Amino acid sequence: MPWKPKGKSKWVIGLVALALLAFIGFRYWKGKKAALPEGIVSGNGRIEAKLADVAAKEPLRVKEVLVNEGDLVKPGQVLVRLDTTTLESSLAEANANVAATQEKLAVAEAGIVRQKSEIELATIEAERARRLVAKGAGSQRDLDVRTSQLETTRASLAEAEATLKTSREEIAVAKANAATIQTRIADATLRSPVTGRVLYRLAEPGEVLSPGGPALTLVNLEDVYMEIFLPASEAARVRIGSEARLTVDFEPDRSIPGYVSFVSPEAQFTPKQVETKSEREKLVFRLKLQVPRELASRYVERIKTGIRGVGYVKVDPSAKWPSRLRDVVTAESEPH
């Protein structure tokens, strides 16, 4: 005899069936919502930014570090000062050398003025002696003496002019040396090259940095992007400059506009952090989805690198973004 549910059991079975239908319907709706229209592809990724090292050009001792890890810095902001005591001594010596060569130049210029006056006088006296000899009123010996004095004075002028040229060259060299030392002193004040945050503080006061040794590592918050990986069939349709959207896991219904700035020319295995082992075994191409600089600058205080999300790319320019990707963050938007 078949079992027939009693009244209460019928209600329980009905509710379970209704809940099951609702769950199936919800899953169908979510799948439909997550589905992408033809011409748009996607891949998992995370928000990243380029790194910039703040490094010393030559071996100098750290005098003071003015920022800590996590601080927001602006371009040109002084971050680290190095000890320049020895360089300042060298600069004083170089400036003294410039002054000495300038004095030498002044002496050479005065000597030329004097030599030119002596040439004028020697020329007049030689010409007078020549006229006297022509008239028979002067001696040839006197003419020879005057002529010799003129030639000697001209030779002295040529020597003085050579000394003047040498002095000018010495001044140029001395000034260049002083300018070089001044530049080295300026380079000992390490400034931020970008707008970003201090990721690592790698040196402390008293330490001596090696040439090229970094004192800080910065995250450039104006060069923000997401890397995704696509199979060859999808990557082949992507072009540099293609329109893109980026979403982050904690706010999936609000997207960030971007564009494709790089498509790898070589295939690679999907990185370990991407989903399952079967997916990691596939060959894929790396894409870089760049956030516009003006937008990154607008939200620079809110950007956090390492946040996971999804990147979307239009492989067909005529494709329409789904409704969930139309709420776009812009440079004019108010930060949430």
Side-chain angles (χ1 to χ4, degrees):
M1 183 177 180
W3 176 80
K4 292 183 179 181
K6 297 180 178 180
K8 187 174 181 181
S9 299
K10 287 182 179 180
W11 278 102
V12 172
I13 293 172
L15 288 173
V16 170
L18 184 62
L20 182 61
L21 287 173
F23 176 74
I24 293 172
F26 176 76
R27 289 294 299 270
Y28 175 80
W29 175 79
K30 286 290 288 184
K32 196 76 174 175
K33 184 180 179 183
L36 291 173
E38 183 67 27
I40 296 177
V41 296
S42 68
N44 296 327
R46 61 183 183 182
I47 300 297
E48 300 184 57
K50 283 189 176 179
L51 302 182
D53 284 337
V54 178
K57 284 189 174 182
E58 55 185 291
L60 291 173
R61 190 178 302 279
V62 177
K63 186 176 182 180
E64 56 182 337
V65 182
L66 304 175
V67 291
N68 293 307
E69 292 179 354
D71 286 354
L72 183 65
V73 297
K74 300 294 184 181
Q77 180 179 337
V78 176
L79 306 180
V80 180
R81 287 192 175 94
L82 305 178
D83 192 339
T84 58
T85 303
T86 55
L87 290 177
E88 287 168 0
S89 297
S90 298
L91 179 61
E93 183 179 348
N95 286 333
N97 191 30
V98 170
T101 52
Q102 286 176 333
E103 185 177 345
K104 185 177 178 181
L105 176 65
V107 172
E109 288 174 339
I112 286 176
V113 172
R114 186 182 68 256
Q115 294 294 336
K116 285 182 177 179
S117 299
E118 291 178 355
I119 286 176
E120 290 178 3
L121 178 59
T123 300
I124 292 172
E125 290 179 344
E127 184 61 29
R128 183 183 298 119
R130 187 176 294 106
R131 288 197 299 268
L132 290 174
V133 169
K135 293 178 181 179
S139 67
Q140 183 63 40
R141 183 180 179 283
D142 186 52
L143 175 59
D144 292 340
V145 170
R146 300 299 181 186
T147 302
S148 177
Q149 288 177 344
L150 176 60
E151 294 303 321
T152 300
T153 307
R154 284 175 176 167
S156 297
L157 176 61
E159 183 180 352
E161 288 176 341
T163 302
L164 178 65
K165 182 180 178 181
T166 301
S167 297
R168 285 174 175 164
E169 291 173 350
E170 289 176 350
I171 286 177
V173 171
K175 286 183 175 180
N177 288 338
T180 298
I181 297 172
Q182 186 64 62
T183 300
R184 291 170 64 191
I185 291 174
D187 288 341
T189 299
L190 307 185
R191 300 176 183 271
S192 173
V194 298
T195 297
R197 287 194 184 277
V198 179
L199 181 62
Y200 301 119
R201 176 166 161 159
L202 304 172
E204 297 298 331
E207 295 182 23
V208 176
L209 296 179
S210 59
L216 302 167
T217 296
L218 309 179
V219 179
N220 183 356
L221 296 181
E222 291 184 321
D223 193 347
V224 180
Y225 59 91
M226 177 184 285
E227 286 187 345
I228 64 173
F229 298 85
L230 297 179
S233 59
E234 295 178 351
R237 301 169 62 191
V238 178
R239 297 289 179 268
I240 300 296
S242 294
E243 191 177 352
R245 292 282 189 272
L246 288 70
T247 63
V248 291
D249 290 349
F250 69 84
E251 198 173 4
D253 293 327
R254 199 160 189 242
S255 62
I256 304 166
Y259 60 93
V260 177
S261 62
F262 172 79
V263 179
S264 175
E266 296 181 347
Q268 65 183 82
F269 288 106
T270 312
K272 289 182 178 180
Q273 68 267 23
V274 176
E275 302 303 333
T276 65
K277 181 179 179 182
S278 61
E279 288 181 314
R280 295 200 299 269
E281 290 172 349
K282 298 175 183 177
L283 285 174
V284 292
F285 289 80
R286 180 168 60 93
L287 276 69
K288 185 175 177 182
L289 311 184
Q290 189 76 35
V291 176
R293 182 174 290 269
E294 61 274 13
L295 181 59
S297 299
R298 175 74 173 87
Y299 289 85
V300 69
E301 294 192 6
R302 297 197 61 217
I303 294 173
K304 300 290 187 297
T305 57
I307 295 175
R308 296 191 177 277
V310 181
Y312 303 85
V313 180
K314 275 189 180 182
V315 294
D316 180 358
S318 63
K320 301 296 183 183
W321 292 112
S323 58
R324 61 192 173 85
L325 295 177
R326 291 176 188 166
D327 183 9
V328 177
V329 177
T330 67
E332 291 74 32
S333 303
E334 287 297 325
H336 286 189

